Structures are given as structure tokens and as C-alpha cells.
Amino acid sequence: MKILGLHHITAMAGDVAANVAFYTRVLGLRLIKRTVNFDDPSTYHLYFGDTVGTPGSALTFFYWEQPRGRPGSGQATATAWSVPADSADFWRARLTAHDVAFTEETRFGETVLHFADPDGLGLEIVATAEPDARRPWTHPEIPVAHGLRGFHSVTLTHADSGRTARLLTGAMGYRETARAATAGGETRVRHAVAAGGPGSYVDLVAAPSASRGSPGAGTVHHVAFRVADDADELAAQAEWRAAGLQVSPQMDRNYFHSIYAREPGGVLFEIATDTPGFAIDETVDSLGTKLLLPAHFEPHRAAIEANLVPLPA
Ligand code: ZN
């Protein structure tokens, strides 16, 4: 399977305005696409990322008025961004200035800041000395040298990580690169794929005493992995099936093509193509500035727009 790294992560949020303000104003991501949930066009599906939504930079949200979920085993419990090693002080100061509570730890020799979004979604900033040439979106208060460059890693928590590790290191082509005990006495095992480095990592935390998470606002809906194109995705579909997973048909998500399968530990995985990308239906300069709908929803645009709350500027 030719997995290239993380593609996007999709989570669930409650209040749209608070969510948009947090990711664009506090974290300095670009709102790169505003569309609707293709399965429920009465709600937004918003994408935040770098200038063009480079695969490996996009965190996306579904908005559902529902009780908060509960983080726990069987979930992706942390989404981490990469910043340079000397950017930890900048982010300590910025999170403090915005009243975002955080804790920190040293993980595999690097400073990791932990915090949560307005819905309680677990987030991290990893100040890493590893090479990472990706350029962040420009935000007036965040020097490019300190901006979020894209994902560093995602952490999956399971009571027993064994079957998930075998899927990653078997069919999906990952390799274990590091392991350590966590402060809580659990085991964290880092996996990399392809060229490795920030944007490729999947950390598996084995937490035997963790209670099972439940879905809802503040939890991750699915984790998407990158492949280059349709040919690699269809090959991956066959390999997932051969590994015993129930795999969806290929779906057209306008900006990429996708297949889905639930991994044995309970996290919904997606494989998404790098092509065609987010500039297919608007220019790079205007990304995220208007509501974009797939063709089959266009005849209903007026009714759909009337149902959606305005977004903060
Ligand atoms: Zn997705």
C-alpha cells in the first residue's frame, strides 16, 4: 500500500462561530473550504489548513447539535501540529494570551503542548527539530517562522493496540520508529510511513485501563491517510479487503476520492487521494470565501444557505 502520510483529520464540533474563531484567529489556520456535510446539507463542513490545504494540513469539522462526546479508547485522542523546535515559547505565550489552558511534556525528546479546542477536542503542538519544509498560512500575529506547518502526528488510544499496530505495520506499510512509557504509565509507540518525519506519524497509546470513548462534539470522526491517486487508492482498497476489513466503495468527495474502513481498534480510517485538491472549484486566493456545493446540491442552494448560520468574518 503506497500510503504517503496523513491526509486530513475530521472532527465534530458544536458551535460553528466559536470553532471558526479558534482555528483561524488563535491557531492561525486558513479556512480553506466552506461546504456542507454531503450526508446532511443543513450543516456545514469546514476545512482549515495551510494556504492551499496541502494534504497533511487539513483539519475539518462536522457541526452537530448534540451532546459532547467522551474521549477514550477506540478513538483518535490527539491531533498534533509541527512547529520548529524554538517555537515552543511563542506558543506558550500565544495560548496564554488567548486564555487557552495547556499542559506540556517532553515526548521523544521534543516539547509537546497539550490543549483543547472550544468543544474539548484534544490538540497538540510539537516543537520538533526534525526537518519540515512545509510553509504555514500567514496570520498577521503569527510570524511564518512559528506558524503551524501541518500535522505532526495523530495519537490513537486503545485498551490494546495490538491489532491496530498489525494493520499499520502490515497492510498499510508503517514501521515502528520509537516507543516510550507515558507519564501515565501507558505505552506510546510511534509509527512512520514513506519518507517519515512530521506529517507521517501515527502514535499508538496502549491504555489498558482507559474507558471506551463515545462519539460527539469534541471527538475525532475519522483519520484520513494520503495516497497519490486513484490507482494507488484502488490498490489500497484491495489490500484492506485482503487484510479482512470491511471497506467502502470509492467515493467522490469533490476535492479528493475516498475509501473508508473501521480499523480493528474502532477508529474510522479513510484513504484519500492527493488529487484533485481544493483549488478545483475556486482560486487559491479566494479559497474558503464562499459556500461551495457539489453539483447535485446546487439546485437547492438558496434553501441550503438559508439554513446555515453566517460565519464570523
Ligand atoms: Zn475525510
Side-chain angles (χ1 to χ4, degrees), residues 120-247:
L121 183 70
L123 304 174
E124 296 174 337
I125 289 175
V126 180
T128 177
E130 284 197 80
D132 188 345
R134 298 175 295 174
R135 282 182 67 81
W137 172 239
T138 50
H139 177 289
E141 298 168 0
I142 302 175
V144 168
H146 295 312
L148 305 181
R149 299 182 289 197
F151 293 135
H152 176 274
S153 51
V154 64
T155 296
L156 311 183
T157 298
H158 300 93
D160 177 351
S161 297
R163 289 184 302 165
T164 306
R166 284 193 289 280
L167 176 67
L168 286 175
T169 60
M172 294 180 70
Y174 274 78
R175 57 192 179 273
E176 180 180 328
T177 60
R179 66 169 58 210
T182 68
E186 296 152 352
T187 305
R188 175 181 293 271
V189 183
R190 175 154 293 172
H191 297 80
V193 74
S200 82
Y201 296 129
V202 177
D203 284 5
L204 298 183
V205 168
S209 59
S211 57
R212 188 105 186 144
S214 63
T219 65
V220 168
H221 187 270
H222 62 265
V223 175
F225 299 88
R226 291 173 58 197
V227 292
D229 54 26
D230 284 343
D232 286 353
E233 180 159 89
L234 294 173
Q237 184 183 43
E239 289 176 78
W240 262 357
R241 286 193 177 129
L245 300 189
Q246 294 283 336
V247 189

Side-chain angles (χ1 to χ4, degrees), residues 8 10 222 270:
H8 66 272
T10 295
H222 62 265
E270 173 181 350

